[in-house]
Amino acid sequence: MGTGHMTTAQNLPVVVIGAGPVGLAAAAHLAERGLEPLVIEAGDGAGAAVAQWGHVRLFSPWRYDVDAAARRLLTSAGAGRTEPWSDPEPDTLPTGTELVEQYLVPLADALVNGAGAQIRYRTRVLAVTKDGADRSRSLGRERLPYLVRLATGPADGSGGTGTVEEIRAQAVIDASGTYGRPNPLGTSGLPTLGEPESARFLAGALPDVLGRDRDRFAGRHTLVVGMGHSAANTLLSLVELAEQEAAQGAPVSRITWAIRGGSPRRLYGGGTGDDLPARGLLGTRLRDAVEAGRIELLTRVAIDRLEPSTDPAGDTVRVLGSARRDGDDGALDLTVHHIAAATGFRPDLAMLREVRLDLDPVVEAPRRIAPLIDPNLHSCGTVPAHGEAELTHPDAGFYLVGMKSYGRAPTFLLATGYEQVRSIAAALAGDRAAADAVELNLPETGVCSSDLALAADADGRVSPDELAASGAGSCCAVPAAPQQVSIGAPPARANPLGGAPADAASAASAASAASAGPVGFSTGVMHGRSGD
């Protein structure tokens, strides 16, 4: 690896952090350009984060979920696979598991066996810096390669630190996503008091209520916190579980939904004072469940403290704070078995402390793209195509891509990430013209992606009648928009995955190469979180 502090960057690999959809796409584009990708993945295999929400169906069809360079590699004669790979049916919507098994795992195999890339699993990046220079040193900084400190976990998966080592790179592409760093329940950006001690009661943003986690939720009281599509999907799954329990004569699960805002109308869609048309199936089903009393809705919720049960069984947690119930403000004092916190995600920036970054102070995204992606600026708009030029930082050769490039904005599109890494690979290879020629080819009309996912059958197919009934032509109707791998994002073209989630179950917004910038219904907040 070299030990000298003044090692040049020539002939060093490009380190890609994360073997998710965008990280592997980056590796495919780099390999196609003749560069050497070294992919570092903390999980046990390709798409490890996506696998965690594998039960969730994406909100976009396969045609928008596969990167172009990845497709070329997978279908090439030298892909190194014993069996030929072919595109899945383009108009079906895959689940997270299908995305991993039918696309990401074969792609990782093709990268290693066909393109000569290296992928290291069970390896976590502890820090990125310049080799021989901390953040404050400027002299000769641009000539120094990057130094990446890694920790490789034990093969038994026990979670220990394992071996710590350092490698050098000519460039670093951070596609590590945000799924592993959920926002806390506290309203001030900090964990609420007692939150760390109550970790065993936190079920994550997308528990598999009707599958893997069914026994955990059956007959129990669950508090769902959040007002994105991840919260909505969990709530609807809990409603279905309660209906099944009632039909079987079993104890029925209790569902409480807590939101910080004064009204869920943004998620419902339509209604007085809402300039957006009805959001379709998801919002309608959720509103019906609340109005029918299957879900108890609490608004203006501020959680101040969690108190784990001191009972020997220890199966409940007390939630204290304030809330509005049935129009009256008062104290919040709930005892529940589980909390599904769909409160969004944030990037891990601690490992990048020695890198000179140019980040927006609000959403923690690269400054040049922050105004394009902030979901609080527009509730219905587009994300213009952007590439290497918009993703650069003061330390040349370092890039945040994919969901992590969107910081705290829950609005990332897979196709956007694929275009990001295509442009970056071109720039690293010296092809400035290709790097600057960014575009996204998405449909201009169609149905809301959230409706697509809800209307799909068990095989991911959506009938023509459902397509027609799901809101074609509406403001937020860019159907087949690529799925974001983020959690908690608004519907397609309403708030610019995922992966997406992930930040995953979130609906993707649309991006249009023809659009000069985001347009649509303004929330009234120029740059920052809106009131609801």
Side-chain angles (χ1 to χ4, degrees):
M1 300 296 179
T3 57
H5 288 312
M6 296 302 292
T7 305
T8 65
Q10 291 181 347
N11 301 319
L12 291 175
V14 176
V15 165
V16 178
I17 307 175
V22 177
L24 293 182
H29 282 282
L30 291 168
E32 196 172 62
R33 288 278 184 174
L35 299 169
E36 178 188 351
L38 169 55
V39 182
I40 307 298
E41 167 59 45
D44 291 334
V50 177
Q52 294 183 47
W53 49 267
H55 60 287
V56 177
R57 189 169 298 285
L58 275 69
F59 292 160
S60 62
W62 271 111
R63 69 170 69 248
Y64 298 106
D65 300 331
V66 178
D67 171 73
R71 178 182 286 110
R72 289 190 290 269
L73 175 60
L74 283 164
T75 55
S76 67
R81 295 179 52 77
T82 56
E83 298 181 2
W85 183 88
S86 59
D87 265 322
E89 187 177 334
D91 293 321
T92 62
L93 288 73
T95 62
T97 295
E98 290 167 345
L99 186 73
V100 172
E101 294 178 349
Q102 298 178 35
Y103 173 50
L104 298 181
V105 170
L107 176 55
D109 289 344
L111 281 165
V112 172
N113 298 318
Q118 298 181 66
I119 303 180
R120 293 183 53 174
Y121 299 112
R122 294 183 294 278
T123 303
R124 185 173 298 278
V125 173
L126 301 178
V128 180
T129 185
K130 280 286 190 170
D131 187 21
D134 66 9
R135 183 190 185 106
S136 64
R137 176 182 167 182
S138 298
L139 183 63
R141 184 178 188 86
E142 68 281 357
R143 298 191 300 272
L144 298 176
Y146 284 92
L147 181 72
V148 183
R149 181 169 292 178
L150 311 172
T152 301
D156 62 5
S158 60
T161 302
T163 303
V164 177
E165 63 181 297
E166 295 175 341
I167 61 174
R168 288 161 178 80
Q170 62 169 291
V172 176
I173 299 174
D174 186 350
S176 58
T178 59
Y179 189 72
R181 293 185 64 84
N183 286 325
L185 288 170
T187 55
S188 301
L190 303 176
T192 194
L193 297 175
E195 188 169 342
E197 295 80 6
S198 304
R200 69 183 183 277
F201 301 102
L202 301 179
L206 283 167
D208 190 0
V209 172
L210 297 172
R212 179 185 61 235
D213 302 320
R214 184 187 183 95
D215 291 344
R216 180 178 183 181
F217 291 94
R220 315 294 265 180
H221 183 187
T222 300
L223 172 66
V224 179
V225 182
M227 202 171 67
H229 280 180
S230 296
N233 286 334
T234 297
L235 287 164
L236 293 177
S237 293
L238 287 166
V239 168
E240 185 174 345
L241 174 62
E243 291 173 347
Q244 294 174 4
E245 291 169 336
Q248 297 165 0
V252 176
S253 303
R254 181 181 170 190
I255 311 164
T256 301
W257 179 22
I259 63 175
R260 293 174 179 170
S263 168
R265 68 179 182 271
R266 177 168 57 85
L267 185 56
Y268 288 170
T272 303
D274 187 345
D275 288 352
L276 296 178
R279 295 281 173 85
L281 295 174
L282 187 144
T284 299
R285 291 180 184 178
L286 187 58
R287 182 182 59 215
D288 289 348
V290 171
E291 293 177 351
R294 298 173 182 173
I295 298 173
E296 179 188 19
L297 173 63
L298 304 177
T299 62
R300 302 294 185 193
V301 172
I303 298 175
D304 298 329
R305 181 184 299 272
L306 300 182
E307 294 183 354
S309 172
T310 57
D311 184 87
D315 64 348
T316 59
V317 60
R318 190 178 180 192
V319 183
L320 301 170
S322 59
R324 178 178 295 174
R325 179 186 280 106
D326 298 326
D328 296 323
D329 293 324
L332 172 66
D333 190 345
L334 278 177
T335 298
V336 301
H337 295 95
H338 305 293
I339 302 173
T343 51
F345 296 83
R346 59 180 57 177
D348 177 8
L349 299 175
M351 69 180 188
L352 307 177
R353 188 167 185 175
E354 296 305 318
V355 179
R356 294 182 178 179
L357 302 176
D358 183 20
L359 298 178
D360 176 77
V362 177
V363 294
E364 295 184 310
R367 190 181 302 272
R368 293 179 184 87
I369 71 168
L372 310 180
I373 65 173
D374 187 346
N376 303 287
L377 180 60
H378 294 286
S379 289
C380 188
T382 61
V383 178
H386 56 274
E388 193 269 349
E390 291 78 23
L391 296 169
T392 56
H393 293 280
D395 275 341
F398 179 87
Y399 304 96
L400 295 171
V401 300
M403 188 65 227
K404 193 166 184 177
S405 73
Y406 277 41
R408 299 193 185 195
T411 49
F412 168 66
L413 307 172
L414 267 187
T416 301
Y418 294 159
E419 182 63 2
Q420 288 177 342
V421 296
R422 182 209 62 78
S423 174
I424 289 169
L428 291 175
D431 189 346
R432 191 70 250 171
D436 291 339
V438 293
E439 63 177 11
L440 288 174
N441 298 312
L442 301 177
E444 291 296 330
T445 58
V447 299
C448 272
S449 59
S450 57
D451 292 352
L452 280 176
L454 287 170
D457 63 19
D459 295 321
R461 296 183 177 86
V462 182
S463 71
D465 290 342
E466 290 283 6
L467 286 172
S470 293
S474 71
C475 156
C476 56
V478 178
Q483 164 64 20
Q484 65 188 47
V485 186
S486 73
I487 306 298
R493 210 169 186 177
N495 278 350
L497 276 176
D503 156 274
S506 310
S509 64
S512 171
S515 174
V519 295
F521 172 69
S522 173
T523 63
V525 178
M526 287 306 295
H527 191 41
R529 176 176 286 176
S530 64
D532 62 356

